[in-house]
Amino acid sequence: MPTPSLASLPIRRLTLRDLTACADLSEDRGWPREEHKWGLLLTAGKGYGIDDPDGGLVTACAVTEYGPQERPSLAAVGMVLVAERHARQGVGRRLMRHVVSAMGTTPLTLHATPYGRPLYEELGFKTTGRAEMVRGHFTPGGPAPRIATRAATAEDITAILRLDEEVFGADRTHVITRLPAFADHLCVAEEAGRLIGYAAAWPNMDTHVVGPLVARDTETAKALVMSLASRTDRPLRTDIDVRHEELLTWVKERGLVSVAFNAVMTYGITELPGDWSRRFAPLTVAAG
């Protein structure tokens, strides 16, 4: 039997049953397997992929929708991967065209590496921002934060959801309510009994990823990062909006180093909704 051409292979929805195949695809491209993150993306969002007749996946990606379920106001695209043996044959472009078509009029956003950016520009995505990935062991130092922080409790979820929607600009209930199970640590910042920020640290291979990081101001963001850092011996990793120069300088002074820059891109809107001044880091670049 002749091998089917890539162009004839059907694109299908992925489910949690495809978790191992998605992790294998990540590993194939030299990425960490990130099964924990893939599990969140495949349950809170939608996966799309093409099966390889020889086993595994030719390509895959994840789409996480936000806002009203019947009419999402924003969708984040992430984990766009093509198996090395099928690279540079247009399959990634075909998958992305399918996603753009499937999402209809829903605005899209993604974080693009320098390698992937030309493809997204070809599809009509525009660069609207930039994020810097930093990583390292956090070393405490300097004056103690004046902002009160503590571990979040179940009773905080309603206030976290209210603050998150205000800052993110869309309802993320289906994702944020998964944080207590997804993250190892979830902290809140308070002032006069009012929630003014929250942050999570979730396990990713040998690191703890800080995200989301939502805070009233830079001092609150610092207090949340310090609180999370005090709870783990692992290196921290996070992706900070480059407009938050003070926070970036501060984390670098405390041991984190720059790893990479990604372009924040949008399709169908000229800028992301919400309040960027209080949105310091995403849950993950794959989901916004």
Side-chain angles (χ1 to χ4, degrees):
M1 291 288 291
T3 301
S5 69
L6 289 178
S8 68
L9 296 173
I11 296 171
R12 69 171 176 88
R13 284 279 301 275
L14 303 177
T15 71
L16 200 57
R17 293 188 182 92
D18 299 296
L19 176 61
T20 299
C22 289
D24 289 345
L25 185 59
S26 293
E27 194 170 54
D28 176 77
R29 292 316 303 254
W31 290 20
R33 291 183 62 82
E34 298 187 305
E35 293 186 14
H36 186 59
K37 181 168 74 174
W38 270 115
L40 175 72
L41 297 171
L42 292 173
T43 52
K46 299 175 180 177
Y48 293 92
I50 297 176
D51 291 310
D52 190 327
D54 295 326
L57 291 167
V58 171
T59 183
C61 73
V63 180
T64 311
E65 297 171 310
Y66 301 112
Q69 188 173 359
E70 66 281 359
R71 190 178 178 82
S73 56
L74 182 69
V77 183
M79 306 300 281
V80 182
L81 287 165
V82 178
E84 178 64 37
R85 61 192 176 280
H86 298 299
R88 295 168 293 280
Q89 298 181 52
V91 68
R93 181 179 295 101
R94 181 182 165 218
L95 180 64
M96 281 301 301
R97 288 192 187 281
H98 176 87
V99 168
V100 170
S101 175
M103 295 311 300
T105 60
T106 301
L108 306 176
T109 184
L110 55 78
H111 282 64
T113 65
Y115 177 79
R117 183 173 167 180
L119 167 62
Y120 303 128
E121 289 176 336
E122 179 187 324
L123 295 171
F125 284 81
K126 306 294 184 185
T127 298
T128 56
R130 202 161 173 243
E132 182 174 3
M133 181 191 295
V134 290
R135 182 189 187 279
H137 282 282
F138 183 90
T139 303
R146 301 184 304 274
I147 307 295
T149 62
R150 60 172 174 79
T153 69
E155 293 178 326
D156 294 313
I157 294 298
T158 299
I160 289 174
L161 288 172
R162 189 181 305 119
L163 175 64
D164 186 80
E165 183 170 0
E166 183 182 316
V167 173
F168 187 76
D171 181 14
R172 294 200 290 180
T173 297
H174 64 301
V175 172
I176 301 305
T177 51
R178 286 177 161 88
L179 281 180
F182 179 71
D184 284 340
H185 308 289
L186 181 60
C187 293
V188 296
E190 291 179 308
E191 183 179 80
R194 184 173 64 90
L195 194 76
I196 58 172
Y198 83 96
W202 51 273
N204 186 266
M205 313 309 290
D206 65 335
T207 70
H208 267 125
V209 177
V210 175
L213 176 54
V214 170
R216 179 185 61 186
D217 49 33
T218 303
E219 288 305 308
T220 305
K222 290 178 181 179
L224 286 164
V225 171
M226 288 185 69
S227 179
L228 292 171
S230 70
R231 299 165 191 268
T232 178
D233 293 327
R234 297 187 189 188
L236 297 183
R237 181 164 70 81
T238 190
D239 297 84
I240 298 174
D241 186 319
V242 297
R243 291 172 289 187
H244 292 296
E245 296 178 9
E246 183 183 348
L247 183 65
L248 277 166
T249 298
W250 180 79
V251 296
K252 290 174 183 177
E253 289 172 348
R254 279 153 185 79
L256 277 66
V257 298
S258 181
V259 176
F261 289 91
N262 287 328
V264 180
M265 307 186 79
T266 58
Y267 179 95
I269 47 175
T270 56
E271 60 182 344
L272 290 172
D275 181 3
W276 76 265
S277 70
R278 291 184 286 166
R279 188 175 57 233
F280 288 82
L283 167 59
T284 163
V285 295

